[in-house]
């Protein structure tokens, strides 16, 4: 299977998950510092204080990327390094780190893909209401401009948000992520304000001359249990209604306003039942509908549901009354996530049909397994098989007409996996946290060969 010419091969990371150096060069506090330091929020009490120490080791890490022949590296900028309090002038020492990183990448002929928000909101903004406060959207656009002003001469590929669903509904809905609030109305409001911030920032980046602007969402095909292994399985009317509603809450909530300029009925109904829709002001949808070039898709597993009459809404899914979230009949990763590679092609083909205006890129895909280092090697056969299976489905989606521009593996390095801490390893490169030694796993060497062959 050969991929299109110019298909972009790369890997992704995020600031709080790898950088460490949380008090250095004037960095302010983020909601993830606060959250991870509060007992009980993260497995084993882990924090991102040191993480992979990438802030000091970025040069070696870029060398590693060069050896793996990556063409693109997607990383995020830590907002509190740029604006320690979330507003006001830029902190030059914070910008300087990303400046050095970008130059090092370009020297290695690796294209930087910047994500502006991968969840590390300045704590000062959370203290003023966080994403539930409309003003945060405007602060985000100002911050985006500061980063572009410094790096826009060399960086052409920009993403506004990473996974607004997770930021809103795990951050403010079930409280599993920072800031740890459990309030359905705040979660829905936060989702809207994140999207408003996306639209404002996209407009600002465009005015400043950004070549490519992307929104990154976590998306999954929503399936009934029978459809997991049989795409043709016909759902009952009740099950199909559950599937449609969850698809609206997970994916259309973000892509419909961004690309079609409207909210799905299901989202408005969910808001109406949870605090109202007043936060959606006249003109907002026009802002959110700012033209973008690409949608980034983070895919790990399908979402499996069926009708569940009488069930209350799940805390992460306001609006999901009468829906039962079900298990998939499939093997799982160390996260317990079902492995369903063809879920990816089903998703990509559907999105390319629903949103033909934009190109698609797989901006995250990968798996955690319990890796062991043996004689300086990590034989992560499960990860190789996961990645091979999913890449094959990317190829199939392209054959079926999806406009797929690239694939970025999650993740370059083992890292701080949010509420799971360091016990879940997603890297293609193993990190020994005691010594900060990096060891490319077999999956990294395999991926290097895939890149060299531009195919499987
Ligand atoms: C995604 C996140 C990423 C990583 C993977 C496993 O939801 O964007 O930071 O944690 O999951």
């Amino acid at each position: 299977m050969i991929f299109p010419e110019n298909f972009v091969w790369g890997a992704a990371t995020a600031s709080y998950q790898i950088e460490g150096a949380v008090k250095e060069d004037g960095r302010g506090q983020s909601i993830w510092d606060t959250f991870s330091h509060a007992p009980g929020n993260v497995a084993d009490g882990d924090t991102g204080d040191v993480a992979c120490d990438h802030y000091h080791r970025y040069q070696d890490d870029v060398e590693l990327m060069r050896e793996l022949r990556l063409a693109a590296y997607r990383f995020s900028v830590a907002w509190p390094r740029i604006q320690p309090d979330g507003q006001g002038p830029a902190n030059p020492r914070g910008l300087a780190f990303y400046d050095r990183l970008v130059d090092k990448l370009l020297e290695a002929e690796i294209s930087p893909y910047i994500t502006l928000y991968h969840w590390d909101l300045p704590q000062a903004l959370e203290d003023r209401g966080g994403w539930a406060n409309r003003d945060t959207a405007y602060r985000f656009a100002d911050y985006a401009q500061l980063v572009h002003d410094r790096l826009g001469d060399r960086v052409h590929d920009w993403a506004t948000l990473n996974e607004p669903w997770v930021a809103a509904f795990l951050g403010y809905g079930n409280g599993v992520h920072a800031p740890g609030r459990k309030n359905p109305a705040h979660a829905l409001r936060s989702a809207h304000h994140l999207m408003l911030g996306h639209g404002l920032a996209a407009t600002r980046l465009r005015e400043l001359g950004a070549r490519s602007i992307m929104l990154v969402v976590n998306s999954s095909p929503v399936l009934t249990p029978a459809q997991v292994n049989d795409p043709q399985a016909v759902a009952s009317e009740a099950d199909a209604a559950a599937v449609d509603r969850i698809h609206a809450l997970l994916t259309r909530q973000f892509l419909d306003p961004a690309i079609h300029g409207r909210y799905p009925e299901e989202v408005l109904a969910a808001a109406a039942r949870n605090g109202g829709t007043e936060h959606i002001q006249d003109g907002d949808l026009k802002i959110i509908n700012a033209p973008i070039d690409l949608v980034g898709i983070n895919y790990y597993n399908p979402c499996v549901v069926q009708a569940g009459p009488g069930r209350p809404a799940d805390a992460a899914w306001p609006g999901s009354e009468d829906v039962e979230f079900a298990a998939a009949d499939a093997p799982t990763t160390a996260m317990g996530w079902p492995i369903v590679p063809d879920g990816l092609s089903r998703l990509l083909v559907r999105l390319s049909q629903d949103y033909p205006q934009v190109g698609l890129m797989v901006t995250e895909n990968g798996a955690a397994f319990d890796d062991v280092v043996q004689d300086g090697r990590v034989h992560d056969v499960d990860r190789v098989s996961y990645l091979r299976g999913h890449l094959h489905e990317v190829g199939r989606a392209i054959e079926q007409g999806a406009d797929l521009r690239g694939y970025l593996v999650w993740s370059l390095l083992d890292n701080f996996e949010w509420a799971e801490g360091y016990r879940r390893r997603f890297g293609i490169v193993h990190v020994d946290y005691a010594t900060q030694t990096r060891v490319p796993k077999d999956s990294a060497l395999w991926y290097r060969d895939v890149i060299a062959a531009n195919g499987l």
Side-chain angles (χ1 to χ4, degrees), residues 71-119:
Y73 173 52
R74 171 178 177 245
F75 62 95
S76 76
V77 172
W79 187 347
R81 287 198 195 281
I82 311 306
Q83 291 177 302
D85 294 327
Q87 54 189 321
N91 164 32
R93 288 181 295 162
L95 280 172
F97 167 68
Y98 298 104
D99 201 277
R100 295 193 295 273
L101 172 61
V102 163
D103 282 345
K104 183 79 192 157
L105 287 165
L106 293 175
E107 191 189 301
E109 294 181 45
I110 298 168
S111 300
Y113 278 63
I114 288 188
T115 303
L116 287 162
Y117 187 71
H118 202 128
W119 308 348

Short mmCIF file of all heavy atoms in Angstrom, two decimals, residues 71-119:
data_model
loop_
_atom_site.label_atom_id
_atom_site.label_comp_id
_atom_site.label_asym_id
_atom_site.label_seq_id
_atom_site.Cartn_x
_atom_site.Cartn_y
_atom_site.Cartn_z
N ALA A 71 8.67 13.83 8.99
CA ALA A 71 8.56 15.02 8.16
C ALA A 71 7.85 16.14 8.90
O ALA A 71 7.96 17.31 8.55
CB ALA A 71 7.81 14.70 6.87
N ALA A 72 7.09 15.76 9.92
CA ALA A 72 6.33 16.77 10.67
C ALA A 72 6.34 16.42 12.15
O ALA A 72 6.35 15.25 12.53
CB ALA A 72 4.88 16.80 10.18
N TYR A 73 6.33 17.46 12.97
CA TYR A 73 6.25 17.28 14.41
C TYR A 73 5.19 18.23 14.94
O TYR A 73 5.29 19.44 14.81
CB TYR A 73 7.60 17.59 15.07
CG TYR A 73 7.58 17.59 16.58
CD1 TYR A 73 7.05 16.50 17.29
CD2 TYR A 73 8.08 18.66 17.30
CE1 TYR A 73 7.02 16.50 18.67
CE2 TYR A 73 8.07 18.67 18.70
CZ TYR A 73 7.53 17.57 19.37
OH TYR A 73 7.50 17.57 20.75
N ARG A 74 4.14 17.64 15.51
CA ARG A 74 3.06 18.42 16.08
C ARG A 74 3.31 18.55 17.59
O ARG A 74 3.37 17.54 18.29
CB ARG A 74 1.72 17.73 15.82
CG ARG A 74 0.55 18.34 16.54
CD ARG A 74 -0.79 17.65 16.22
NE ARG A 74 -1.82 18.26 17.02
CZ ARG A 74 -2.51 17.62 17.99
NH1 ARG A 74 -2.33 16.34 18.22
NH2 ARG A 74 -3.41 18.27 18.69
N PHE A 75 3.47 19.78 18.03
CA PHE A 75 3.66 20.03 19.47
C PHE A 75 2.74 21.18 19.86
O PHE A 75 2.21 21.88 19.01
CB PHE A 75 5.12 20.36 19.78
CG PHE A 75 5.63 21.61 19.10
CD1 PHE A 75 5.62 22.84 19.76
CD2 PHE A 75 6.10 21.58 17.79
CE1 PHE A 75 6.08 24.00 19.14
CE2 PHE A 75 6.56 22.73 17.16
CZ PHE A 75 6.55 23.95 17.83
N SER A 76 2.56 21.34 21.17
CA SER A 76 1.71 22.47 21.58
C SER A 76 2.54 23.49 22.34
O SER A 76 3.58 23.18 22.92
CB SER A 76 0.52 21.99 22.41
OG SER A 76 0.90 21.66 23.72
N VAL A 77 2.05 24.71 22.32
CA VAL A 77 2.66 25.80 23.06
C VAL A 77 1.92 25.93 24.39
O VAL A 77 0.69 25.88 24.43
CB VAL A 77 2.58 27.12 22.26
CG1 VAL A 77 3.03 28.31 23.10
CG2 VAL A 77 3.42 27.01 20.99
N ALA A 78 2.70 26.06 25.47
CA ALA A 78 2.10 26.24 26.80
C ALA A 78 1.72 27.71 26.96
O ALA A 78 2.60 28.57 27.08
CB ALA A 78 3.09 25.81 27.88
N TRP A 79 0.44 27.96 26.97
CA TRP A 79 -0.04 29.35 27.10
C TRP A 79 0.62 30.06 28.30
O TRP A 79 1.08 31.21 28.17
CB TRP A 79 -1.56 29.30 27.17
CG TRP A 79 -2.30 30.61 27.16
CD1 TRP A 79 -1.80 31.87 27.33
CD2 TRP A 79 -3.72 30.76 26.95
NE1 TRP A 79 -2.81 32.79 27.25
CE2 TRP A 79 -3.99 32.14 27.01
CE3 TRP A 79 -4.77 29.87 26.72
CZ2 TRP A 79 -5.29 32.65 26.87
CZ3 TRP A 79 -6.06 30.37 26.57
CH2 TRP A 79 -6.31 31.75 26.65
N PRO A 80 0.70 29.41 29.48
CA PRO A 80 1.30 30.13 30.63
C PRO A 80 2.79 30.43 30.50
O PRO A 80 3.35 31.16 31.31
CB PRO A 80 1.02 29.22 31.83
CG PRO A 80 0.64 27.91 31.28
CD PRO A 80 0.16 28.10 29.87
N ARG A 81 3.46 29.85 29.50
CA ARG A 81 4.84 30.31 29.25
C ARG A 81 4.83 31.64 28.50
O ARG A 81 5.75 32.44 28.62
CB ARG A 81 5.60 29.31 28.36
CG ARG A 81 5.98 28.04 29.06
CD ARG A 81 7.08 27.29 28.31
NE ARG A 81 7.18 25.93 28.80
CZ ARG A 81 7.80 25.59 29.94
NH1 ARG A 81 8.40 26.49 30.67
NH2 ARG A 81 7.81 24.33 30.34
N ILE A 82 3.78 31.86 27.70
CA ILE A 82 3.71 33.05 26.86
C ILE A 82 3.06 34.20 27.63
O ILE A 82 3.53 35.34 27.58
CB ILE A 82 2.91 32.76 25.57
CG1 ILE A 82 3.41 31.47 24.89
CG2 ILE A 82 2.96 33.95 24.62
CD1 ILE A 82 4.89 31.41 24.60
N GLN A 83 1.98 33.88 28.32
CA GLN A 83 1.31 34.87 29.18
C GLN A 83 1.08 34.22 30.54
O GLN A 83 0.09 33.49 30.73
CB GLN A 83 -0.03 35.28 28.56
CG GLN A 83 0.08 36.10 27.29
CD GLN A 83 -1.30 36.38 26.72
OE1 GLN A 83 -2.04 35.44 26.44
NE2 GLN A 83 -1.63 37.65 26.56
N PRO A 84 1.98 34.45 31.47
CA PRO A 84 1.89 33.76 32.77
C PRO A 84 0.53 33.94 33.45
O PRO A 84 0.06 33.04 34.14
CB PRO A 84 3.00 34.42 33.59
CG PRO A 84 3.97 34.94 32.55
CD PRO A 84 3.17 35.29 31.34
N ASP A 85 -0.12 35.09 33.23
CA ASP A 85 -1.43 35.33 33.84
C ASP A 85 -2.56 35.26 32.81
O ASP A 85 -3.68 35.67 33.08
CB ASP A 85 -1.48 36.71 34.50
CG ASP A 85 -0.54 36.78 35.69
OD1 ASP A 85 -0.36 35.74 36.36
OD2 ASP A 85 0.04 37.86 35.91
N GLY A 86 -2.24 34.81 31.61
CA GLY A 86 -3.30 34.64 30.61
C GLY A 86 -3.68 35.90 29.87
O GLY A 86 -4.60 35.89 29.06
N GLN A 87 -3.01 37.00 30.17
CA GLN A 87 -3.28 38.22 29.40
C GLN A 87 -2.08 39.16 29.48
O GLN A 87 -1.17 38.93 30.26
CB GLN A 87 -4.54 38.91 29.88
CG GLN A 87 -4.57 39.20 31.36
CD GLN A 87 -5.95 39.68 31.76
OE1 GLN A 87 -6.59 40.43 31.04
NE2 GLN A 87 -6.42 39.24 32.91
N GLY A 88 -2.12 40.18 28.66
CA GLY A 88 -1.03 41.15 28.68
C GLY A 88 0.09 40.77 27.75
O GLY A 88 -0.03 39.84 26.96
N PRO A 89 1.21 41.50 27.86
CA PRO A 89 2.30 41.31 26.90
C PRO A 89 2.93 39.93 27.03
O PRO A 89 2.81 39.27 28.05
CB PRO A 89 3.32 42.40 27.30
CG PRO A 89 2.96 42.78 28.69
CD PRO A 89 1.50 42.53 28.86
N ALA A 90 3.64 39.54 25.96
CA ALA A 90 4.27 38.22 25.95
C ALA A 90 5.49 38.20 26.86
O ALA A 90 6.20 39.19 26.99
CB ALA A 90 4.66 37.86 24.53
N ASN A 91 5.72 37.04 27.43
CA ASN A 91 6.94 36.79 28.20
C ASN A 91 8.01 36.34 27.20
O ASN A 91 7.92 35.24 26.66
CB ASN A 91 6.65 35.69 29.24
CG ASN A 91 7.92 35.08 29.80
OD1 ASN A 91 8.94 35.75 29.93
ND2 ASN A 91 7.85 33.80 30.15
N PRO A 92 9.01 37.17 26.94
CA PRO A 92 9.97 36.85 25.87
C PRO A 92 10.73 35.56 26.11
O PRO A 92 11.04 34.84 25.17
CB PRO A 92 10.93 38.05 25.88
CG PRO A 92 10.48 38.99 26.91
CD PRO A 92 9.27 38.44 27.60
N ARG A 93 10.98 35.20 27.36
CA ARG A 93 11.74 33.97 27.62
C ARG A 93 10.91 32.73 27.29
O ARG A 93 11.44 31.70 26.91
CB ARG A 93 12.22 33.93 29.08
CG ARG A 93 13.34 34.94 29.35
CD ARG A 93 13.79 34.86 30.79
NE ARG A 93 12.72 35.27 31.70
CZ ARG A 93 12.68 34.98 33.01
NH1 ARG A 93 13.65 34.27 33.56
NH2 ARG A 93 11.69 35.39 33.76
N GLY A 94 9.61 32.85 27.46
CA GLY A 94 8.73 31.73 27.09
C GLY A 94 8.72 31.55 25.58
O GLY A 94 8.86 30.43 25.06
N LEU A 95 8.55 32.65 24.86
CA LEU A 95 8.56 32.57 23.39
C LEU A 95 9.90 32.05 22.88
O LEU A 95 9.95 31.32 21.89
CB LEU A 95 8.30 33.95 22.79
CG LEU A 95 6.84 34.40 22.74
CD1 LEU A 95 6.77 35.86 22.30
CD2 LEU A 95 6.01 33.52 21.82
N ALA A 96 10.97 32.42 23.57
CA ALA A 96 12.31 32.06 23.09
C ALA A 96 12.48 30.54 23.05
O ALA A 96 13.18 30.01 22.18
CB ALA A 96 13.38 32.70 23.97
N PHE A 97 11.86 29.83 23.98
CA PHE A 97 11.99 28.36 23.95
C PHE A 97 11.42 27.80 22.65
O PHE A 97 12.05 26.98 21.97
CB PHE A 97 11.28 27.72 25.16
CG PHE A 97 11.13 26.24 24.99
CD1 PHE A 97 12.25 25.40 25.00
CD2 PHE A 97 9.89 25.65 24.76
CE1 PHE A 97 12.13 24.02 24.81
CE2 PHE A 97 9.75 24.28 24.57
CZ PHE A 97 10.88 23.47 24.59
N TYR A 98 10.22 28.25 22.28
CA TYR A 98 9.61 27.72 21.06
C TYR A 98 10.34 28.19 19.81
O TYR A 98 10.39 27.50 18.80
CB TYR A 98 8.11 28.08 21.03
CG TYR A 98 7.41 27.44 22.21
CD1 TYR A 98 7.04 28.19 23.32
CD2 TYR A 98 7.19 26.06 22.24
CE1 TYR A 98 6.43 27.59 24.42
CE2 TYR A 98 6.59 25.45 23.34
CZ TYR A 98 6.21 26.23 24.41
OH TYR A 98 5.64 25.63 25.51
N ASP A 99 10.93 29.36 19.91
CA ASP A 99 11.76 29.89 18.84
C ASP A 99 12.95 28.95 18.58
O ASP A 99 13.24 28.56 17.45
CB ASP A 99 12.24 31.28 19.27
CG ASP A 99 12.65 32.12 18.10
OD1 ASP A 99 13.80 31.97 17.67
OD2 ASP A 99 11.83 32.92 17.64
N ARG A 100 13.61 28.56 19.66
CA ARG A 100 14.75 27.64 19.52
C ARG A 100 14.30 26.28 19.00
O ARG A 100 14.95 25.68 18.14
CB ARG A 100 15.42 27.42 20.90
CG ARG A 100 16.06 28.64 21.51
CD ARG A 100 16.96 28.27 22.70
NE ARG A 100 16.25 27.71 23.84
CZ ARG A 100 15.70 28.42 24.83
NH1 ARG A 100 15.75 29.76 24.80
NH2 ARG A 100 15.08 27.83 25.85
N LEU A 101 13.17 25.81 19.50
CA LEU A 101 12.66 24.50 19.06
C LEU A 101 12.33 24.53 17.56
O LEU A 101 12.70 23.62 16.82
CB LEU A 101 11.41 24.14 19.89
CG LEU A 101 10.63 22.90 19.45
CD1 LEU A 101 11.50 21.64 19.52
CD2 LEU A 101 9.38 22.71 20.34
N VAL A 102 11.67 25.58 17.13
CA VAL A 102 11.31 25.69 15.72
C VAL A 102 12.57 25.73 14.85
O VAL A 102 12.65 25.03 13.82
CB VAL A 102 10.42 26.94 15.48
CG1 VAL A 102 10.37 27.32 14.01
CG2 VAL A 102 9.01 26.70 16.02
N ASP A 103 13.54 26.50 15.25
CA ASP A 103 14.78 26.56 14.45
C ASP A 103 15.47 25.21 14.37
O ASP A 103 15.98 24.81 13.32
CB ASP A 103 15.73 27.62 15.02
CG ASP A 103 15.30 29.02 14.62
OD1 ASP A 103 14.46 29.15 13.69
OD2 ASP A 103 15.77 29.99 15.23
N LYS A 104 15.47 24.52 15.48
CA LYS A 104 16.10 23.19 15.52
C LYS A 104 15.35 22.22 14.59
O LYS A 104 15.96 21.43 13.86
CB LYS A 104 16.10 22.69 16.96
CG LYS A 104 16.77 21.39 17.18
CD LYS A 104 18.29 21.52 17.21
CE LYS A 104 18.92 20.13 17.12
NZ LYS A 104 20.29 20.14 16.62
N LEU A 105 14.02 22.31 14.60
CA LEU A 105 13.22 21.44 13.73
C LEU A 105 13.51 21.75 12.26
O LEU A 105 13.70 20.85 11.44
CB LEU A 105 11.72 21.63 14.01
CG LEU A 105 11.21 21.02 15.32
CD1 LEU A 105 9.84 21.57 15.67
CD2 LEU A 105 11.16 19.49 15.22
N LEU A 106 13.54 23.03 11.93
CA LEU A 106 13.75 23.41 10.54
C LEU A 106 15.13 22.97 10.06
O LEU A 106 15.30 22.53 8.92
CB LEU A 106 13.55 24.92 10.36
CG LEU A 106 12.10 25.38 10.59
CD1 LEU A 106 12.01 26.90 10.52
CD2 LEU A 106 11.14 24.73 9.60
N GLU A 107 16.10 23.07 10.97
CA GLU A 107 17.44 22.61 10.65
C GLU A 107 17.44 21.11 10.33
O GLU A 107 18.19 20.65 9.47
CB GLU A 107 18.30 22.89 11.89
CG GLU A 107 19.77 22.76 11.76
CD GLU A 107 20.39 22.87 13.16
OE1 GLU A 107 20.17 23.92 13.83
OE2 GLU A 107 21.04 21.89 13.59
N ALA A 108 16.55 20.37 10.99
CA ALA A 108 16.43 18.93 10.75
C ALA A 108 15.45 18.63 9.61
O ALA A 108 15.10 17.46 9.39
CB ALA A 108 15.99 18.21 12.02
N GLU A 109 14.97 19.67 8.96
CA GLU A 109 14.00 19.52 7.87
C GLU A 109 12.71 18.84 8.31
O GLU A 109 12.16 17.99 7.62
CB GLU A 109 14.63 18.80 6.67
CG GLU A 109 15.72 19.65 6.05
CD GLU A 109 16.36 18.99 4.84
OE1 GLU A 109 15.61 18.45 4.01
OE2 GLU A 109 17.60 19.01 4.76
N ILE A 110 12.27 19.23 9.49
CA ILE A 110 11.00 18.72 10.03
C ILE A 110 10.05 19.90 10.14
O ILE A 110 10.40 20.94 10.72
CB ILE A 110 11.22 18.08 11.42
CG1 ILE A 110 12.17 16.89 11.29
CG2 ILE A 110 9.90 17.67 12.04
CD1 ILE A 110 12.68 16.36 12.62
N SER A 111 8.84 19.76 9.57
CA SER A 111 7.89 20.88 9.61
C SER A 111 7.23 20.96 10.97
O SER A 111 6.63 19.98 11.43
CB SER A 111 6.79 20.71 8.56
OG SER A 111 7.35 20.66 7.29
N PRO A 112 7.29 22.13 11.61
CA PRO A 112 6.58 22.30 12.88
C PRO A 112 5.08 22.50 12.65
O PRO A 112 4.67 23.32 11.82
CB PRO A 112 7.20 23.58 13.47
CG PRO A 112 7.95 24.25 12.37
CD PRO A 112 8.06 23.32 11.21
N TYR A 113 4.28 21.73 13.35
CA TYR A 113 2.83 21.91 13.39
C TYR A 113 2.49 22.34 14.81
O TYR A 113 2.62 21.56 15.73
CB TYR A 113 2.10 20.59 13.07
CG TYR A 113 1.99 20.29 11.60
CD1 TYR A 113 3.12 20.09 10.81
CD2 TYR A 113 0.73 20.22 10.98
CE1 TYR A 113 3.02 19.82 9.46
CE2 TYR A 113 0.62 19.94 9.62
CZ TYR A 113 1.76 19.75 8.88
OH TYR A 113 1.65 19.48 7.53
N ILE A 114 2.06 23.58 14.95
CA ILE A 114 1.81 24.11 16.29
C ILE A 114 0.34 23.98 16.67
O ILE A 114 -0.54 24.39 15.92
CB ILE A 114 2.25 25.59 16.38
CG1 ILE A 114 3.79 25.65 16.38
CG2 ILE A 114 1.67 26.26 17.64
CD1 ILE A 114 4.36 27.02 16.66
N THR A 115 0.11 23.42 17.85
CA THR A 115 -1.22 23.46 18.47
C THR A 115 -1.18 24.53 19.55
O THR A 115 -0.31 24.51 20.43
CB THR A 115 -1.57 22.11 19.12
OG1 THR A 115 -1.48 21.08 18.14
CG2 THR A 115 -2.98 22.13 19.69
N LEU A 116 -2.11 25.48 19.48
CA LEU A 116 -2.06 26.59 20.43
C LEU A 116 -2.65 26.24 21.79
O LEU A 116 -2.24 26.79 22.81
CB LEU A 116 -2.79 27.81 19.84
CG LEU A 116 -1.98 28.48 18.72
CD1 LEU A 116 -2.88 29.37 17.87
CD2 LEU A 116 -0.82 29.27 19.29
N TYR A 117 -3.61 25.32 21.80
CA TYR A 117 -4.21 24.97 23.10
C TYR A 117 -4.37 23.48 23.24
O TYR A 117 -5.25 22.87 22.66
CB TYR A 117 -5.58 25.66 23.28
CG TYR A 117 -6.12 25.44 24.67
CD1 TYR A 117 -5.54 26.08 25.76
CD2 TYR A 117 -7.19 24.57 24.91
CE1 TYR A 117 -6.01 25.86 27.05
CE2 TYR A 117 -7.66 24.35 26.20
CZ TYR A 117 -7.07 25.00 27.25
OH TYR A 117 -7.52 24.78 28.54
N HIS A 118 -3.48 22.90 24.03
CA HIS A 118 -3.62 21.48 24.38
C HIS A 118 -3.79 21.40 25.89
O HIS A 118 -3.01 20.78 26.60
CB HIS A 118 -2.42 20.68 23.87
CG HIS A 118 -2.67 19.21 23.70
ND1 HIS A 118 -2.39 18.52 22.53
CD2 HIS A 118 -3.16 18.28 24.55
CE1 HIS A 118 -2.70 17.24 22.67
NE2 HIS A 118 -3.17 17.06 23.90
N TRP A 119 -4.76 22.18 26.38
CA TRP A 119 -5.36 22.02 27.70
C TRP A 119 -4.67 22.71 28.88
O TRP A 119 -5.20 22.67 29.99
CB TRP A 119 -5.53 20.54 28.05
CG TRP A 119 -6.24 19.74 27.01
CD1 TRP A 119 -6.93 20.20 25.91
CD2 TRP A 119 -6.34 18.31 26.96
NE1 TRP A 119 -7.45 19.16 25.19
CE2 TRP A 119 -7.10 17.98 25.80
CE3 TRP A 119 -5.86 17.29 27.77
CZ2 TRP A 119 -7.39 16.65 25.45
CZ3 TRP A 119 -6.16 15.98 27.43
CH2 TRP A 119 -6.91 15.67 26.28
#
